[in-house]
Amino acid sequence: MLSNHQIDLVQDSFAAVVPITDHAAAEFYRRLFELAPDTKPLFRHGMAEQGRKLFLTLATVVDALDRLDTIVPVARELAIRHLAYGAQDRHYAAVGSALIETLRAGLGPAFDSATETAWTAAYTILADTMLAAVREAI
């Protein structure tokens, strides 16, 4: 569970990333493909479009962190779609690492330890929800 302070940290830091969305998305995928090269073939659309989808999804999740019950159905559907694309359980850790590294690089000193902890907690909730949905589906 996220505290109100953690939700504020995630939402405020995400707002600071929004102006650099294109750069952050490119950096995220660069880091993801470095950490898990086997994920690259899973992306069939142009990477600019994929980056927009990534940040739209992140925006939806970040906006609803104080209403986790609204995120769960979305996360479950997203997980099932990703399963069909070929995503594997181990990819979730790589995505989480790439996200944290991208935020750290993009936000610099504003990405302090409390903000990193908040993002890690938020991503863990999302990934655990998605992984549970995948396990139920197979």
Side-chain angles (χ1 to χ4, degrees):
M1 196 65 155
L2 295 171
S3 71
N4 288 335
H5 181 65
Q6 286 178 311
I7 292 169
D8 289 344
L9 288 171
V10 170
Q11 291 176 338
D12 292 348
S13 59
F14 185 74
V17 174
V18 169
I20 59 166
T21 296
D22 291 342
H23 173 73
E27 183 64 12
F28 168 81
Y29 286 110
R30 184 190 69 75
R31 290 174 186 272
L32 176 61
F33 299 152
E34 187 177 276
L35 292 167
D38 62 321
T39 61
K40 194 168 189 174
L42 304 180
F43 296 92
R44 296 178 182 97
H45 302 292
M47 293 314 295
E49 174 66 19
Q50 193 63 47
R52 281 189 288 281
K53 288 180 181 181
L54 169 69
F55 272 84
L56 283 172
T57 301
L58 277 174
T60 300
V61 170
V62 167
D63 183 56
L65 285 176
D66 58 344
R67 302 175 314 280
L68 286 178
D69 58 313
T70 64
I71 296 173
V72 169
V74 174
R76 294 176 66 78
E77 289 176 23
L78 188 62
I80 301 305
R81 279 201 315 269
H82 281 85
L83 181 63
Y85 300 149
Q88 299 175 18
D89 288 5
R90 63 187 163 76
H91 293 150
Y92 286 82
V95 167
S97 293
L99 177 62
I100 296 299
E101 291 174 14
T102 299
L103 291 165
R104 186 181 299 119
L107 295 171
F111 195 70
D112 58 18
S113 63
T115 303
E116 181 172 346
T117 298
W119 270 99
T120 301
Y123 180 75
T124 299
I125 291 168
L126 180 65
D128 287 352
T129 300
M130 293 176 74
L131 286 166
V134 166
R135 288 184 188 106
E136 290 173 15
I138 53 176

